[in-house]
Amino acid sequence: MSLKKIIKTVLPLALGGFLVWYSLSKVSIETLVQYFKNANYWWIALGLFFGVLSHLSRAYRWKFLLEPLGYKPDFGNSTMAVLVAYLVNLTIPRAGEVFRATVMTTYEEIPFEKGFGTIVAERIADLIMMLLIICVTLFVQFDFIYELLIKNFSPSKILVLLGGLVVGILIFVRFVKKASSGFGLKIKNFVTGLVEGAMSIFKMKNKWAFIFHTVFIWLMYVAMFWATIPAIESFNVPFGAVLVGFIAGGFSIAATNGGIGLYPVAVAGAFALFNIPEEPANAFGWIMWTAQTAMIIIFGGLSFLFLPVYNRRKS
């Protein structure tokens, strides 16, 4: 394994370990254990149910990308490939996508490069949905964000910051447009691929079914987060804070292996903006992260073990 790959594997784990320590410094283990003991597990189960629905929908959505290529994968294999991918991502970030395509190559005889290409297209759709959720959050919480900025920054500083941001964006866009090599070209190709991928969705035969499942998947993600909040007694979180906390948690999962250590910190930090007490916010972050991680380990592990058995019975 190259030094670059080792760094990419070890660094997120090291960061996760540090953040576990940091998060636990904000709430004692004894207190955290009490929150886990007193949690209402019916709400947690409801949240996990929404999570399972999102995974099933993701597996079903995949067929809309594979069918135009001439492949009709078995739904069972698609579902288990998705679950195993999430499990692998807990160990090596983004390696799950490679493993997911490999599973379909092994059991559905779909060429790796074609299967992996459809997964990249999926990720583009997911990125667009995340950006839409951020836009909705900014719209819903506009007054709150405006007051927060006014409270911490003078209007003149905000205008200077916005002006500098606009000028910086214009310079950056001009730089990327003219780029023919290096970092600028990479950004240019990424943006071009993003736009082409987004436009290709509308050219699909089953585009509306694909769009429906994409929206449904992300609604289930938000529902999973929201439904788990009542698991902690007297833990009141306004809907705006739910959206901000969900976004913060989503970015934390991308930054470390499955959000280890960072997820509770990110969610508690987001809730702190709304003056939500730190202790229950940290506890909720740990309960939420533990629940979804346990779901991935259990279902992903069972899928890994059952895949060869399932396909041997099929043949």
Side-chain angles (χ1 to χ4, degrees):
M1 185 182 288
S2 66
L3 179 61
K4 188 176 180 180
K5 287 184 178 179
I6 292 174
I7 292 174
K8 282 185 176 181
T9 303
V10 175
L11 188 59
L13 288 172
L15 177 62
F18 167 75
L19 290 167
V20 167
W21 169 81
Y22 176 79
S23 178
L24 292 177
S25 70
K26 299 293 182 180
V27 53
S28 68
I29 295 178
E30 292 79 9
T31 302
L32 199 58
V33 169
Q34 282 302 121
Y35 273 104
F36 270 86
K37 284 183 177 179
N38 297 330
N40 186 326
Y41 283 88
W42 286 109
W43 286 109
I44 295 173
L46 179 62
L48 292 178
F49 173 71
F50 291 136
V52 170
L53 288 181
S54 74
H55 298 328
L56 292 174
S57 182
R58 180 176 293 278
Y60 190 78
R61 182 186 67 171
W62 200 5
K63 79 170 189 173
F64 298 123
L65 291 169
L66 290 169
E67 280 180 348
L69 302 177
Y71 303 103
K72 294 184 178 180
D74 179 88
F75 180 64
N77 280 333
S78 296
T79 302
M80 287 186 280
V82 166
L83 293 170
V84 170
Y86 280 117
L87 178 65
V88 173
N89 277 337
L90 291 178
T91 57
I92 306 174
R94 304 278 68 88
E97 281 73 10
V98 175
F99 201 91
R100 180 177 162 191
T102 303
V103 168
M104 300 306 275
T105 300
T106 304
Y107 296 112
E108 293 288 342
E109 298 182 352
I110 298 173
F112 175 83
E113 62 278 7
K114 291 185 178 181
F116 189 74
T118 59
I119 295 170
V120 172
E122 274 192 359
R123 291 305 180 189
I124 291 172
D126 290 333
L127 176 59
I128 292 170
M129 279 303 303
M130 177 58 102
L131 293 174
L132 283 174
I133 290 174
I134 291 172
C135 290
V136 169
T137 303
L138 290 174
F139 178 78
V140 171
Q141 292 298 119
F142 178 80
D143 291 340
F144 173 79
I145 293 169
Y146 178 77
E147 289 178 8
L148 192 66
L149 288 173
I150 293 296
K151 183 179 178 181
N152 292 281
F153 302 96
S154 66
S156 59
K157 286 183 179 179
I158 293 173
L159 287 174
V160 171
L161 182 64
L162 288 174
L165 184 63
V166 170
V167 172
I169 290 173
L170 291 174
I171 293 173
F172 182 73
V173 169
R174 186 177 178 83
F175 165 73
V176 170
K177 279 186 175 180
K178 290 188 173 183
S180 57
S181 62
F183 176 73
L185 182 61
K186 288 182 179 180
I187 295 294
K188 186 177 182 179
N189 290 337
F190 173 76
V191 174
T192 301
L194 188 65
V195 173
E196 288 178 355
M199 292 300 102
S200 68
I201 293 171
F202 293 96
K203 297 175 184 177
M204 290 171 52
K205 182 181 178 181
N206 295 300
K207 58 179 176 293
W208 294 115
F210 180 88
I211 292 170
F212 167 80
H213 278 278
T214 300
V215 173
F216 179 79
I217 289 166
W218 283 84
L219 284 176
M220 290 302 99
Y221 286 164
V222 176
M224 180 182 179
F225 188 90
W226 197 6
T228 308
I229 287 174
I232 296 179
E233 188 178 357
S234 301
F235 187 51
N236 299 314
V237 181
F239 183 66
V242 170
L243 291 176
V244 175
F246 170 78
I247 292 168
F251 281 119
S252 75
I253 290 173
T256 59
N257 300 45
I260 183 172
L262 183 55
Y263 190 93
V265 174
V267 171
F271 285 170
L273 297 173
F274 297 83
N275 296 318
I276 295 172
E278 186 177 49
E279 188 178 278
N282 263 301
F284 167 78
W286 276 107
I287 289 172
M288 183 73 219
W289 179 82
T290 302
Q292 60 187 0
T293 302
M295 176 180 66
I296 289 169
I297 291 173
I298 292 169
F299 288 118
L302 289 173
S303 296
F304 186 83
L305 294 173
F306 192 60
L307 262 169
V309 177
Y310 178 75
N311 285 278
R312 187 164 61 242
R313 291 179 63 183
K314 279 175 58 184
S315 59

